[in-house]
Amino acid sequence: MTVELERFGYRESTYERPNQKWVCGWAAMGRPCRLGPDGRGRCPCADECSCTPSRVGDRYHCGRTAVFGGPCDSGPRPDGTCCHPEPEHPVCQPRLSLRARRGRITATCASLGAGALAFLLAGPWGGPYLSPGPLADPHMTAATRVAAESQSYCAACHESQPATFGLFQPVKDTACLKCHVAEAHHPSRSADHGRPMQPTDGLAISNMATGCTQCHREHRGGSYDLAHVDESDCVRCHAVIAAHRVPASATANDAPPVEPPVESAVANVTSFASDHPEFAVLSCGRVDRTPLAFGHAKHMDPVGFPQMQGMLTTWVESLQKNGMEEVPIGASRTVDGQLQLDCTGCHQLDAAGRYMQPIVFEEHCMHCHELPLQVLGAGRSERTPHGSGIEAFIRRIAFEQANAPKDPKKEDADARPPPGRRGRPRDKELPQQPEPAEEVKGENQRDALEQKVKEVTDPIRDACIKCHKFGDGLASIVDPMIPPRWLPRSRFSHEVHRFIRDCQECHAVAPPGPAPGPADLAWTGRTKDIMLPPIARCRECHSPDPITATAAARHDCAMCHDYHEPALPFAMGGAVAPDDSSRRAAPVTR
Amino acid sequence: MDEPMNLAARRWLAGLVTAAVAGLVTILVCRRYPTLAAAGYCTGWILLGVIVYLALYNARKKLAYPPLLSSAAWLRAHVYVGFLSLYLFLLHVGFRVPSGPFEVTLAGLFLGTAASGVIGLFLSRTIPPRLMARGAEVLFERIPALRREMSDRAKEVVLETAKETAEPMLSAFYSKHLAGFFSGPRNAFAHVCQAGRDRQRLLVALASERRYFNDHEKKGADELAELINAKDLLDYHYAMQGLLKTWLFVHIPLTYLMMLFAGVHAVVVHTFAGDGG
């Protein structure tokens, strides 16, 4: 490289000032003047030679400054005027520097952007443009479309008030409740969606679940499920549940804005997959305290209980006599030909496919467990009923048996003369019984009736006591207290889990220890064992995949728990602690 | 006197500090707001503050006298805080794509600004070493004058040789191949792509014509070859330095446009959203 690109020096090069606003118009041609334009973008070349020749003695000397090249060789004319009436550089049109051009482009862009924004917001496109997303399809009703067409797109939900200078406001609950009716989630919340929950940990009120929009977020697209609530919305409070509870003494209106956290029996939860507590019915050593004696093992093991095999055979034969199939639904044959009762023999889904219908004695048990037949005389008999009316039945049967007309043949035999004699018996030979007084007669009848009641009750008790527990009364059977739902604070669907063919994969007693597998489960013969799957069994599917971090099955809170619908009280389901006998009888129709 | 920290250590330290600040913000936000949606207000205001700070760098460059640290220090902070703002943006939008037209516009402006900044960082880190590798330094503002000088010199060389020659082959070659080359900047895209094929083509053509030149023309051809190399180098500087200055024509306008939209976004969010109760 022999050609030198840059030559620095006081004389050889000028001092570049790229931060100045204007540059010489000749710079692009490679011939910038030495002075350059002034701060206002004016070319000073017109004044380049406007020097004032100075007179020294009888001569005029050129007064051109060094910036313009110093005194010229020609010098002034004899009359003292400059000999260069035209400047060396023609007057140029100074140009903006790069930096100034950048600034103008920036200002232009900002101005255009502001103008476009004002144009959009002032016009009918303002609402749709500002909208953070399309409304959900259920909210795009005809009324909303009309509102959209009438340019009050947002006003359908966002009310504008004079106090806010006509600006729209956040959607209030009242706007939602115009069409929707919803219950409050927490008992402490008023029915009109008041604000009793206080930010006890210093959180802003906007961070509490105090409004519909806190959980049901709009503008997420037409197909967005508004009813779906993200797990994070629940975790917002339930991660530190104690900090969000209001003391029982505080009411909705007088709760102070800041309260110390209240001890809560509800555990903190951040995710079903990680720290959701074990189901309450399976935790804390809870057992099924139903007085009903029932063992699944006895009914499901065809080998261990030969009596069960005989009953099943009798049942199947009776069905076959009535033209039914060889092996009815609810039973099957094992490989060695023995009959095996299936789970579906007793447990059938309800119409919604969610829960199992209650066990009904007449449908599910009576095939094998027949109740005693009561003979009423005169060829009449009546089957002992199952249910709460058994005591009345016993008394009625005893009364009818006690007052049943005597058999005429037996009466004739009593009136027949002693052997060896013919004819009517003499009156003196008839037993002479004194006419009892009325009171004595009544007592005798009551005693006879009670005796008859006892006679009727004993075989019935013998039959019932196989399964039921009797109370203090005549035939007062203690309510079995079978809950309609074992997990009353959540919902479940057996239908969507139908791909699990074997019920025992979930419904069997799990041995103690974490995450038992299906092979560890077994039928239990103990009634107190609760045959619900532990939460670890659910997590096998309802958890994020540890490798792909994607969920194999949903595990958000709203999948199982309802927010608005009031949950069943605990007394309606679940198990109880061993020392808790306060569970009330469940109003179940059996 | 302590030795200044070397470049690699300084970058590692700055990167760690940036990551620590990002983690600290995340922890604080997550502890106070267990969901990103609830943290939208908090992260939004933090992000807006960070953006304002980043925009202040342009103002700092215009303020030469106040003792506000050096511009280089501001630039380094600008780079790392810029990366922090990108993370805060993702935190603010909840790592999802916004759905509304206005929010999409705002997100596009932010991402455009961030992308232009990243591109500018890449250019400012890669172009100076490439310029140094070519072995010359020249001020961008002086390139037109230097180009003019080279063009004038090339014409002089050709005219001098033409006076001495009855059939001026060199002047014909100049008119055919070199007049346009010396008249202005050439091959900007090729220089950005590090392609020097045009210079080679001219030099090869000049060498192939050399056997027809007389001695005067050969001497002039040698000087023209030097001028071709110098002009090509000048064009290289013009293209690369122009690129260094051009990316700011995208970055700065997008920044101010984005700030305008961000301000409107803040007003809209506080007006429409929130707990309606």
Side-chain angles (χ1 to χ4, degrees), chain A residues 1-8 13-16 18 27-32 98-99 101-102 105-106 109-115 117 121 128-134 154 158 167-174 193 195 201-208 210-214 217 219-221 231-233 235-237 239, chain B residues 31-39 41 58-59 61-63 96 98-103 105-106 134-150 152 223 226-227 229-231 233-234 237 242 245-250 252-254 256-257 260-261 264 267-277:
Chain A
M1 181 74 200
T2 57
V3 176
E4 186 181 4
L5 284 185
E6 191 63 281
R7 296 179 297 276
F8 293 99
S13 59
T14 56
Y15 189 83
E16 300 294 338
M29 302 298 293
R31 290 192 312 172
L98 269 180
R99 184 167 181 159
R101 269 188 278 173
R102 201 175 66 204
I105 289 175
T106 302
C109 286
S111 302
L112 287 176
L117 206 54
L121 298 186
Y129 183 66
L130 283 181
S131 172
C154 309
H158 296 276
L167 287 173
F168 290 119
Q169 287 189 332
V171 175
K172 295 180 181 299
D173 286 354
T174 52
H193 290 222
R195 297 168 174 266
D201 61 348
L203 284 175
I205 195 71
S206 61
N207 295 321
M208 310 292 289
T210 53
C212 303
T213 56
Q214 288 295 301
R217 295 189 175 86
H219 300 288
R220 295 287 177 90
E231 186 178 74
S232 55
D233 291 322
V235 170
R236 183 169 50 202
C237 294
Chain B
R31 282 177 64 88
R32 191 166 179 82
Y33 308 96
T35 67
L36 289 180
Y41 290 100
N58 196 32
K61 287 194 293 185
K62 294 177 180 176
L63 299 174
R96 65 179 179 84
S99 54
F102 181 80
E103 293 181 351
T105 308
L106 180 56
R134 292 292 293 263
E137 292 182 6
V138 62
L139 294 179
F140 181 76
E141 288 75 16
R142 290 180 182 163
I143 288 177
L146 291 170
R147 187 191 307 126
R148 176 66 178 247
E149 284 183 14
M150 289 180 188
D152 292 346
E223 191 170 352
E226 288 183 4
L227 285 171
N229 282 323
K231 171 63 170 47
L233 180 59
L234 202 63
H237 272 268
K245 294 178 182 294
T246 303
W247 73 271
L248 286 172
F249 278 72
V250 178
I252 293 178
L254 280 180
Y256 285 99
L257 205 53
L260 172 70
F261 274 69
V264 175
V267 173
V268 168
V269 164
H270 279 278
T271 303
F272 282 85
D275 179 22

Side-chain angles (χ1 to χ4, degrees), chain B residues 38-121:
Chain B
Y41 290 100
C42 178
T43 55
W45 280 109
I46 293 175
L47 180 60
L48 189 60
V50 168
I51 290 172
V52 169
Y53 164 76
L54 291 170
L56 282 177
Y57 173 56
N58 196 32
R60 165 66 187 87
K61 287 194 293 185
K62 294 177 180 176
L63 299 174
Y65 297 108
L68 299 172
L69 297 179
S70 67
S71 182
W74 272 75
L75 177 58
R76 285 194 293 270
H78 184 86
V79 169
Y80 290 104
V81 176
F83 281 114
L84 178 66
S85 73
L86 193 58
Y87 173 74
L88 288 175
F89 170 77
L90 296 175
L91 202 64
H92 179 61
V93 300
F95 296 91
R96 65 179 179 84
V97 179
S99 54
F102 181 80
E103 293 181 351
V104 167
T105 308
L106 180 56
L109 287 172
F110 181 88
L111 293 176
T113 307
S116 63
V118 171
I119 291 172
L121 177 66

Side-chain angles (χ1 to χ4, degrees), chain A residues 189-204:
Chain A
R189 296 184 62 198
S190 57
D192 59 350
H193 290 222
R195 297 168 174 266
M197 294 182 67
Q198 298 297 323
T200 54
D201 61 348
L203 284 175

Side-chain angles (χ1 to χ4, degrees), chain A residues 28-101:
Chain A
M29 302 298 293
R31 290 192 312 172
C33 65
R34 290 194 170 194
L35 192 60
D38 62 7
R40 296 183 178 180
R42 293 177 304 189
C43 179
C45 288
D47 304 327
E48 181 181 357
C49 288
S50 61
C51 68
T52 304
S54 56
R55 182 173 182 176
V56 180
D58 59 347
R59 288 178 178 272
Y60 287 95
H61 297 273
C62 181
R64 195 166 69 175
T65 59
V67 173
F68 291 115
C72 62
D73 297 334
S74 306
R77 293 191 178 97
D79 59 353
T81 57
C82 181
C83 66
H84 292 292
E86 295 297 327
E88 184 178 353
H89 284 84
V91 176
C92 73
Q93 175 59 50
R95 300 173 61 186
L96 284 170
S97 65
L98 269 180
R99 184 167 181 159
R101 269 188 278 173

